[in-house]
Amino acid sequence: MKNVVDLIIHSAFRDLIEMEQESGNIKLIYPQLRNNHKRQSEQEFKQLFIDHFCRTTEGLKYSVETPTLNSYSFKKEEKPALDKNGRSGNIDLCIHQYVGNEWKRLHLVEFKAHNIPEVHIEKDLLKLSVGFKGDELNKINYLVHLIYTADQRTLDSLIEKYDKLKSAINRPEQKQITVYLLFASGVKNVPLSPGYYVFDLFEGIDVQNYKNMEQA
């Protein structure tokens, strides 16, 4: 059985594809830049995720830009690391479950967009992998990485990038990091329709396991 987060990601991605194709009844639209181009980012998907969470989930709550319970060092040109003298980071979205008279962190979710430098993804993966006080419920965390336009070169770059990242982060003993690599417009010249890869970070991408949303 899929986790509630997996189901929400799938539904939110369908909505985002409708936004891209300018079809359906999705109320959310992309903001316009001064050059009249659309400003496409992870923020649109995050909003769609929250919309589906609020409509379909019972017994859970969420927080946004949630401070981490660990301190980190995120210095330029240095590897991201835990640092007791560092500062807290933020988790894009945190799902909570009520246990023992308090809301505890159940799933951490980070959102990224575009084929960004490896170091920016590594920062988020570090936050998702490290244990924290009272993390007994926190077994599965998510990185949702959205790609708006892609061709074979983009795909090859991302596969290589995640192959490096699975070695850059220490594998936690009792946590799983699930990565969703979403292609909102598919991959040109391959050809792949809008779809995604979903994989355990430490197992990497199976290039044969692309999930086409038209068939999902």
Side-chain angles (χ1 to χ4, degrees), residues 113-117 121 145-147 149 153-155 157-158 161:
H114 311 303
N115 191 10
I116 53 178
I121 304 173
H145 189 171
L146 182 62
I147 305 296
T149 58
R153 177 183 289 183
T154 312
L155 183 57
S157 169
L158 288 163
K161 191 168 295 183

Side-chain angles (χ1 to χ4, degrees), residues 171-215:
R171 184 167 195 162
E173 292 184 4
Q174 297 183 340
K175 293 186 193 296
Q176 175 182 324
I177 302 176
T178 297
V179 179
Y180 275 84
L181 188 53
L182 310 178
F183 294 87
S185 299
V187 183
K188 298 176 183 178
N189 304 324
V190 175
L192 293 173
S193 299
Y196 62 94
Y197 288 109
V198 56
F199 54 98
D200 182 307
L201 171 68
F202 301 102
E203 295 178 1
I205 300 172
D206 179 352
V207 294
Q208 303 299 319
N209 197 24
Y210 186 83
K211 300 185 183 299
N212 189 325
M213 287 296 285
E214 293 178 356
Q215 301 172 351

Side-chain angles (χ1 to χ4, degrees):
M1 181 177 179
K2 286 189 175 181
N3 189 289
V4 61
V5 179
D6 297 279
L7 298 174
I8 293 172
I9 290 171
H10 193 272
S11 297
F13 189 39
R14 281 200 179 280
D15 286 355
L16 189 94
I17 291 170
E18 288 190 11
M19 284 182 64
E20 281 291 289
Q21 299 172 349
E22 298 183 350
S23 62
N25 297 311
I26 307 304
K27 301 297 184 184
L28 183 65
I29 61 173
Y30 294 108
Q32 299 292 319
L33 300 170
R34 286 182 297 174
N35 60 9
N36 291 324
H37 291 170
K38 294 183 290 187
R39 195 278 334 258
Q40 296 168 309
S41 72
E42 67 271 19
Q43 297 303 324
E44 285 72 36
F45 188 87
K46 181 178 177 181
Q47 183 60 54
L48 293 169
F49 183 100
I50 290 172
D51 288 347
H52 280 280
F53 179 90
C54 292
R55 291 203 305 266
T56 62
T57 305
E58 296 182 1
L60 300 175
K61 293 193 176 185
Y62 75 95
S63 59
V64 297
E65 294 300 316
T66 310
T68 61
L69 299 179
N70 294 303
S71 299
Y72 300 90
S73 173
F74 295 138
K75 297 179 181 178
K76 289 184 178 180
E77 300 179 0
E78 289 187 14
K79 184 179 176 63
L82 278 171
D83 183 351
K84 64 180 181 180
N85 297 316
R87 58 183 177 82
S88 295
N90 287 321
I91 301 295
D92 286 341
L93 187 142
C94 184
I95 296 174
H96 302 259
Q97 183 175 341
Y98 196 69
V99 177
N101 297 319
E102 63 179 316
W103 289 98
K104 292 194 173 183
R105 301 179 184 202
L106 179 63
H107 301 296
L108 312 181
V109 187
E110 291 281 359
F111 301 94
K112 281 286 182 267
H114 311 303
N115 191 10
I116 53 178
E118 185 178 315
V119 65
H120 296 306
I121 304 173
E122 187 176 350
K123 290 178 182 179
D124 284 347
L125 293 175
L126 177 62
K127 290 184 287 183
L128 297 178
S129 67
V130 177
F132 52 87
K133 184 178 180 180
D135 70 346
E136 295 83 4
L137 293 180
N138 181 235
K139 303 302 181 186
I140 306 175
N141 294 325
Y142 293 84
L143 176 72
V144 181
H145 189 171
L146 182 62
I147 305 296
Y148 281 97
T149 58
D151 56 18
Q152 183 65 62
R153 177 183 289 183
T154 312
L155 183 57
D156 291 343
S157 169
L158 288 163
I159 290 171
E160 180 181 358
K161 191 168 295 183
Y162 276 99
D163 188 55
K164 292 179 180 177
L165 285 166
K166 71 181 181 182
S167 302
I169 302 295
N170 293 328
R171 184 167 195 162
E173 292 184 4
Q174 297 183 340
K175 293 186 193 296
Q176 175 182 324
I177 302 176
T178 297
V179 179
Y180 275 84
L181 188 53
L182 310 178
F183 294 87
S185 299
V187 183
K188 298 176 183 178
N189 304 324
V190 175
L192 293 173
S193 299
Y196 62 94
Y197 288 109
V198 56
F199 54 98
D200 182 307
L201 171 68
F202 301 102
E203 295 178 1
I205 300 172
D206 179 352
V207 294
Q208 303 299 319
N209 197 24
Y210 186 83
K211 300 185 183 299
N212 189 325
M213 287 296 285
E214 293 178 356
Q215 301 172 351

